[in-house]
Amino acid sequence: MINLSKVIHIALIGAGTVGSGVLEVLEKNGEDISKKIGISLNVKKVLETNATIIAGLQGKYAIAQDLEEIINDPEIQIVVELIGREEPAHTFIRKILASKKHVVTANKDVIAKYGEELFAIAEENQVALMFEASVGGGIPIIRPLKQCLAANKITKVMGIVNGTTNYMLTKMTEEKLDFPVVLKEAQDQGYAESDPTADVGGFDAGRKIAILASIAFNTRFGLDQVSIEGIETIGSRDIEYAAEFGYVVKLLAIAEACEKGINLRVHPTFLSKTHPLSNVGNVFNAIFVSGDAVGDVMFYGRGAGKTPTASAVCADIMDIAKNIVLENKSFMTCGCYDHKPVCSVDEMQFPFYIRLLVADRPGALSAISAAFGSQQVSLRSVLQKRQVNGNAELVVVTHKVQENNLRMAIQTLEVMPIVSEICNVIRVEDDDFEE
Ligand code: HSE
């Protein structure tokens, strides 16, 4: 029943980029939003510490002095946390849920690390904790996994979930530039932070895949269970060779069901050009999900930014508001009823790309092949195209082999006098490879 004279009051904590986007979307589309949910929404208070942002909000929104002012306001039913990072966001969310107010957050750090604790508090207090914007920004992925794909046994979730690194790899590919040059450019343009570790080191993607895997496999996973490699070691040569073999280099976040449990990993990957994720360029994100009933589905869009992220946050607010109107207390809950073990990446099987520098003399190639062979690593293709500092640059693509065996082969190669450098080892994602 639509009653637009009735109002649900909201508080916003953090009115930076995404927070201001939420205010913008609620202002611009407020009338339609109210009609869709059957009640009006009002941002009653905003909590912000930045003086410049506060000055811009004065006269339009009431500024809260502290969290207590929001918690102690009985009219406020939904609190939107958009301050980011772990603290004080985690403590704030805990207190807000305990005060029986619903929470909407975009905070992947908090959800990945404290999800279990916070969902328990939400359930205990019969309030919602919604986090659609925490992975993939404006791309719908949390709700589709929890609801639309709920009837499936999910076998694999594979995504490009970090826009910064996808932008950098795209630039490196298109303009044949090396990592340090592109990083500097990305920092100058504001795409990469001055401390880029979370993005380029793969940790941001690691948190996001931990969140997605927790939903997809109904088991709570954290960042410490994700095997993580960043893109720092990728050179323009690797990208050139990738193209030659029919691949693009992408930082993929993968959660995959295997014999002994679930493997979670983030790493640069040689991805087949025929895979739909290979066309996801620049700052765009995409998540490719495989389910036993649905087959493959892909979600694509803007993974960050002011209004794309606000789009997801506002949808969560609307969902909660609708449930309040309908007096529906069955909010989306944690759903981690299972305890699937984590399967180490050492036990997984992949094809690998290896670039190495070896002495260019008779017998070198057969010695290299023998070293791989001694660890049951079978080679699919070998390419020798150029000389680097008097050495031959050798590029090897293996058949699908157990990671542990590959690592042992690399250790053997590292101490061989004819090998001067193992330049890079990158996993290949290509359905054409047989075991
Ligand atoms: N730093 C993230 C990215 C955006 O580059 O995609 C926020 O999740």
Side-chain angles (χ1 to χ4, degrees):
M1 173 84 150
I2 297 180
N3 185 352
L4 299 184
S5 62
K6 278 200 172 174
V7 177
I8 287 181
H9 295 280
I10 299 165
L12 172 66
I13 305 181
T17 307
V18 179
S20 64
V22 169
L23 296 176
E24 188 181 311
V25 172
L26 290 178
E27 271 176 43
K28 190 165 154 262
N29 301 339
E31 212 178 303
D32 279 338
I33 287 174
S34 298
K35 284 180 188 161
K36 284 176 187 170
I37 58 177
I39 200 162
S40 296
L41 297 175
N42 173 48
V43 180
K44 190 174 177 196
K45 281 176 186 158
V46 179
L47 181 59
E48 175 56 63
T49 51
N50 182 302
T52 316
I53 298 176
I54 293 174
L57 297 170
Q58 297 281 14
K60 248 179 137 182
Y61 296 97
I63 307 297
Q65 293 310 303
D66 53 25
L67 180 71
E68 301 312 310
E69 191 183 325
I70 291 172
I71 285 178
N72 293 329
D73 186 332
E75 275 194 338
I76 292 172
Q77 289 182 279
I78 304 172
V79 182
V80 182
E81 179 281 310
L82 294 173
I83 40 183
R85 307 272 154 99
E86 271 183 38
E87 290 297 347
H90 160 240
T91 309
F92 279 17
I93 295 175
R94 211 171 47 189
K95 286 186 179 174
I96 298 160
L97 293 171
S99 74
K100 300 196 186 299
K101 295 186 193 298
H102 307 280
V103 171
V104 175
T105 181
N107 197 320
K108 59 193 173 264
D109 299 41
V110 168
I111 295 296
K113 188 161 176 184
Y114 300 105
E116 189 168 11
E117 175 206 17
L118 295 175
F119 289 115
I121 300 174
E123 228 165 306
E124 201 181 304
N125 289 281
Q126 289 199 294
V127 287
L129 171 58
M130 306 282 280
F131 54 102
E132 182 63 65
S134 65
V135 180
I139 306 171
I141 185 62
I142 304 294
R143 208 176 271 97
L145 272 180
K146 273 190 180 255
Q147 296 180 336
C148 317
L149 299 173
N152 285 264
K153 251 192 184 39
I154 302 293
T155 51
K156 191 170 182 178
V157 179
M158 179 159 89
I160 294 170
V161 289
N162 183 271
T164 307
T165 45
N166 202 38
Y167 168 81
M168 290 176 63
L169 289 171
T170 305
K171 270 241 164 233
M172 287 169 75
T173 306
E174 287 175 356
E175 296 175 27
K176 300 191 189 320
L177 297 172
D178 267 316
F179 175 82
V181 180
V182 173
L183 176 61
K184 167 112 193 12
E185 203 176 308
Q187 283 172 322
D188 290 345
Q189 293 188 356
Y191 285 127
E193 296 190 31
S194 51
D195 177 1
T197 320
D199 290 320
V200 301
F203 303 101
D204 175 79
R207 290 186 179 95
K208 290 168 177 169
I209 198 66
I211 294 173
L212 295 181
S214 300
I215 302 168
F217 300 106
N218 308 295
T219 298
R220 175 70 43 204
F221 295 111
L223 180 66
D224 55 348
Q225 289 164 308
V226 186
S227 137
I228 294 179
E229 286 168 35
I231 64 163
E232 306 93 326
T233 61
I234 301 297
S236 51
R237 281 215 170 131
D238 300 311
I239 291 177
E240 271 174 52
Y241 282 122
E244 200 149 322
F245 284 105
Y247 300 113
V248 287
V249 180
K250 292 288 181 193
L251 182 72
L252 294 186
I254 303 173
E256 184 174 12
C258 48
E259 214 179 301
K260 293 183 185 160
I262 307 299
N263 174 253
L264 299 122
R265 58 190 196 271
V266 172
H267 54 77
T269 313
F270 269 33
L271 178 67
S272 167
K273 277 184 184 165
T274 59
H275 195 284
L277 282 174
S278 70
N279 293 316
V280 177
N282 292 306
V283 293
F284 281 87
N285 282 198
I287 300 115
F288 191 85
V289 182
S290 307
D292 65 343
V294 74
D296 297 331
V297 281
M298 188 162 106
F299 303 84
Y300 169 86
R302 294 184 187 277
K306 184 177 170 177
T307 56
T309 312
S311 156
V313 171
C314 290
D316 279 351
I317 298 172
M318 290 171 69
D319 221 21
I320 296 172
K322 211 167 174 176
N323 280 328
I324 294 173
V325 173
L326 297 171
E327 295 181 20
N328 179 4
K329 293 253 181 212
S330 57
F331 299 109
M332 232 164 32
T333 51
C334 174
C336 291
Y337 58 80
D338 212 345
H339 298 91
K340 292 193 171 81
V342 171
C343 171
S344 160
V345 76
D346 291 346
E347 297 170 40
M348 302 291 291
Q349 295 197 344
F350 311 101
F352 284 88
Y353 151 93
I354 303 119
R355 178 165 64 88
L356 66 168
L357 299 181
V358 301
D360 199 0
R361 59 170 191 245
L365 197 53
S366 70
I368 299 292
S369 307
F372 279 114
S374 69
Q375 300 298 337
Q376 317 306 317
V377 175
S378 163
L379 308 185
R380 174 147 143 160
S381 26
V382 180
L383 186 67
Q384 183 185 334
K385 276 189 80 174
R386 56 187 155 200
Q387 292 270 329
V388 179
N389 303 331
N391 287 297
E393 186 178 54
L394 214 59
V395 172
V396 172
V397 176
T398 74
H399 281 284
K400 213 170 190 181
V401 296
Q402 187 160 324
E403 169 128 356
N404 209 23
N405 288 39
L406 191 277
R407 295 286 157 206
M408 287 193 296
I410 296 294
Q411 278 174 20
T412 311
L413 287 162
E414 271 168 348
V415 293
M416 286 169 65
I418 54 160
V419 176
S420 64
E421 192 184 343
I422 310 279
C423 307
N424 223 335
V425 179
I426 301 174
R427 296 176 191 87
V428 177
E429 190 70 38
D430 184 344
D431 289 341
D432 280 352
F433 277 70
E434 294 299 322
E435 278 173 36

